[in-house]
Amino acid sequence: MTVTLRPGAMALSDWRSIYSGEAIVLDRGCKGDIERGAEAVQALLASGRAVYGVNTGFGKLAQTRIADDDLAELQKRLVLSHAAGIGPPMPTKIVRLMMALKMSSLGRGCSGVRLDVVERLETMLAKGLTPLIPCQGSVGASGDLAPLSQLAAALIGVGDVRIDGETLSAADGLAKIGLTPLELGPKEGLALLNGTQFSTAYALAGLFEAEKAFKSALVTGAMSVEAAMGSTAPFDARIHDCRGHQGQIDAAAAYRDLLLDSNINASHQNCEKVQDPYCLRCQPQVMGAALNVLRQAAATLETEANAVTDNPLIFPDGPDAISGGNFHAEPVAFAADMIAMAVAEIGSMSERRQAMLVDPNLSGLPAFLSPAPGLNSGFMIPQVTAAALVSENKQRAAPCSVDSIPTSANQEDHVSMAAHGARRLMDMNANLDAIIALEWLTAAQGMDFHVELTSSPKLESAKQRLRAEIPRLGDDRFFAPDIARATEMVGQGVLVDISDLPGVV
């Protein structure tokens, strides 16, 4: 599969495909816009006007005029001075996504770069050459300067790159795929390093991982209903139609579908229990609210992914170069905070179901789901692990967007903190995958106690996918490898095709 990159017109599903590793080819329909933008920069220079970042210094130094003979050197020094990030390298799949986002932004023709710049990014992606980019150092305005500078540095042959699992110098990597270091033209360094593509790439990755975890948690949550012999009445469509939230309506429909034709449920239709705990009964309300929040974040990020976010912007019709603030990543910061809250709550609800299942007073099942509790501890400590991960995620879910710190001698006096707000989502989602895996193991163990009854066809399939790799827990055994394998399976999306589950689009 190949994704055609159409600057300004990409769907969320296109970005998901790129994140998943699909090849990318630039839609050549943008060629005219790119060339007109580059010509406008040359016309502005010829007019003798002072244009920020083209023939002036940067930030607090914007009043310093740069001589025509130094314009190329200005862009090179800008890239070198701003490549000041630290920390572990970005994951390659997020670097690819960031590069594609930068291609889309430049391809709109409002950044003033030559077509050659965009095509070099396309070639690097096609050949599997990605810059080695430290993941820390951006405050989310004026753009993601440090990480994007590392991307720009690779284009001019500075820094390190990865290709075929090998780390090379950027110059050697470019040579390996038939490219020479780029000689930056006016504004091109600034256009490459200014923008929100680092934050947006991480936020999109966090969104896609959260969506997968959300769908998986619908399945494991329904399995917990079966393990506890919970009621399906709280999923009745009439309840949710009365409230009207679409996410809640969609989540309730998913639970009805997952639990359809369950013999376990049919076996206790006339039981004396009046109401289940909230962790079972309120799943549509909590998961539906999380889905609504993820959908709102998705809408914001889809718009941002198609945006032009460097500065100044070039408008060929004037020609004009207008300084603004599209580099300020506040929309991304808000979206990342929303995703973080949803991730935290999905995990919190899952852990409460696990705690309920291991408690015989609440679940009616053997203590800690062991066939012989006492000699065996069963699922006692897996629930503790889930609790630890949930609390870790709750602490990480504190909003980043409300923080700011002045930079660049107070020229950039309010920043978004979108970069680390989005970056934390990967670790939070990894925790969530483990929490959901622990519920999968716990709920399957609980269902196994209903030996003469079967669940719905879809939930039996979910249980059998687990049992194909991880047997039921009898006597205590070394359980860490089983938890690790179940977590890996959740991360691989093993549960998301159990049913037609609602997502962010």
Side-chain angles (χ1 to χ4, degrees):
M1 295 290 293
T2 298
V3 177
T4 299
L5 198 152
R6 295 161 287 113
M10 296 283 280
L12 194 67
S13 58
D14 295 324
W15 300 115
R16 186 189 286 109
S17 295
I18 292 170
Y19 177 65
S20 298
E22 301 293 350
I24 304 161
V25 60
L26 180 67
D27 181 355
R28 287 312 189 271
C30 67
K31 178 181 177 181
D33 289 337
I34 295 172
E35 290 177 340
R36 282 188 290 275
E39 290 166 1
V41 170
Q42 294 300 323
L44 288 164
L45 284 171
S47 73
R49 291 164 52 185
V51 180
Y52 174 73
V54 177
N55 55 11
T56 74
F58 305 98
K60 198 75 170 179
L61 304 175
Q63 305 307 316
T64 303
R65 187 70 178 261
I66 307 301
D68 289 351
D69 290 346
D70 291 328
L71 296 185
E73 187 65 21
L74 173 71
Q75 298 299 311
K76 179 180 177 181
R77 292 187 187 185
L78 172 69
V79 169
L80 297 177
S81 67
H82 283 48
I86 65 167
M90 294 173 65
T92 297
K93 64 192 304 185
I94 301 180
V95 176
R96 289 185 76 253
L97 185 55
M98 184 179 79
M99 293 170 71
L101 289 163
K102 179 55 76 174
M103 283 177 61
S104 178
S105 182
L106 299 179
R108 295 276 301 273
C110 295
S111 300
V113 305
R114 294 164 295 164
L115 180 63
D116 181 46
V117 176
V118 185
E119 289 181 335
R120 282 169 180 264
L121 289 169
E122 180 185 25
T123 299
M124 289 171 68
L125 286 168
K127 301 291 187 180
L129 184 75
T130 54
L132 202 67
I133 300 177
C135 69
Q136 293 174 280
S138 173
V139 294
S142 170
D144 294 314
L145 297 174
L148 288 173
S149 292
Q150 297 277 169
L151 168 59
L155 282 167
I156 65 173
V158 175
D160 294 318
V161 294
R162 287 173 173 154
I163 185 169
D164 299 329
E166 184 181 8
T167 299
L168 303 173
S169 71
D172 288 344
L174 291 173
K176 188 170 183 176
I177 64 170
L179 292 179
T180 56
L182 173 68
E183 295 289 336
L184 292 168
K187 194 182 179 292
E188 289 179 344
L190 181 59
L192 283 164
L193 63 83
N194 203 205
T196 66
Q197 288 78 33
F198 172 91
S199 297
T200 305
Y202 264 105
L204 283 170
L207 174 70
F208 299 146
E209 296 295 337
E211 180 186 41
K212 180 173 58 182
F214 170 84
K215 292 182 177 183
S216 301
L218 289 175
V219 176
T220 60
M223 291 176 67
S224 289
V225 171
E226 292 287 80
M229 287 196 164
S231 174
T232 59
F235 309 133
D236 189 303
R238 292 170 291 182
I239 296 173
H240 309 287
D241 289 343
C242 279
R243 198 172 198 187
H245 292 299
Q246 191 60 51
Q248 179 177 327
I249 291 167
D250 292 347
Y255 287 115
R256 292 195 301 273
D257 180 63
L258 288 165
L259 291 158
L260 185 65
D261 297 329
S262 164
N263 290 324
I264 293 177
N265 179 259
S267 73
H268 60 89
Q269 288 298 303
N270 299 314
C271 69
E272 296 181 356
K273 190 188 302 184
V274 177
Q275 289 185 333
D276 292 323
Y278 288 179
C279 65
L280 297 181
R281 186 173 15 134
C282 297
Q283 287 188 79
Q285 287 79 6
V286 174
M287 294 293 281
L291 181 57
N292 279 340
V293 164
L294 291 175
R295 284 173 172 170
Q296 187 174 343
T300 295
L301 293 176
E302 183 174 44
T303 298
E304 186 73 9
N306 283 296
V308 184
T309 57
D310 63 295
N311 182 64
L313 297 184
I314 305 300
F315 299 97
D317 291 346
D320 291 308
I322 305 177
S323 288
N326 281 4
F327 51 73
H328 200 295
E330 195 80 354
V332 183
F334 282 159
D337 281 345
M338 292 161 65
I339 296 167
M341 288 187 289
V343 167
E345 282 298 274
I346 293 166
S348 179
M349 196 74 156
S350 173
E351 183 277 329
R352 287 293 80 203
R353 292 190 294 268
Q354 295 170 56
M356 177 272 300
L357 287 174
V358 301
D359 185 341
N361 296 316
L362 294 175
S363 68
L365 296 168
F368 301 107
L369 303 179
S370 173
L375 179 61
N376 294 302
S377 296
F379 278 75
M380 180 187 296
I381 303 306
Q383 183 270 324
V384 175
T385 298
L389 295 174
V390 165
S391 284
E392 197 173 298
N393 272 4
K394 285 191 288 187
Q395 292 162 16
R396 286 177 169 169
C400 296
S401 57
V402 298
D403 187 22
S404 180
I405 189 167
T407 62
S408 297
N410 283 306
Q411 176 76 3
E412 298 159 9
D413 56 356
H414 183 279
V415 298
S416 72
M417 298 301 179
H420 68 266
R423 185 164 50 83
R424 68 181 155 162
L425 297 176
M426 301 309 288
D427 287 338
M428 291 184 69
N429 276 307
N431 284 347
L432 180 56
D433 284 351
I435 295 164
I436 294 167
L438 287 160
E439 182 178 16
W440 193 14
L441 290 161
T442 304
Q445 182 82 1
M447 290 169 66
D448 282 340
F449 282 106
H450 308 311
V451 290
E452 296 182 0
L453 298 169
T454 58
S455 183
S456 69
K458 290 178 179 178
L459 294 184
E460 285 294 327
S461 175
K463 189 177 79 169
Q464 290 309 314
R465 291 184 187 190
L466 181 70
R467 289 288 175 256
E469 305 224 12
I470 301 171
R472 176 175 178 267
L473 183 64
D475 289 335
D476 288 345
R477 63 175 185 261
F478 184 45
F479 210 40
D482 294 335
I483 295 171
R485 178 59 186 139
T487 301
E488 182 181 33
M489 292 167 71
V490 170
Q492 291 168 344
V494 167
L495 291 174
V496 299
D497 66 348
I498 289 291
S499 182
D500 185 17
L501 300 168
V504 298
V505 178

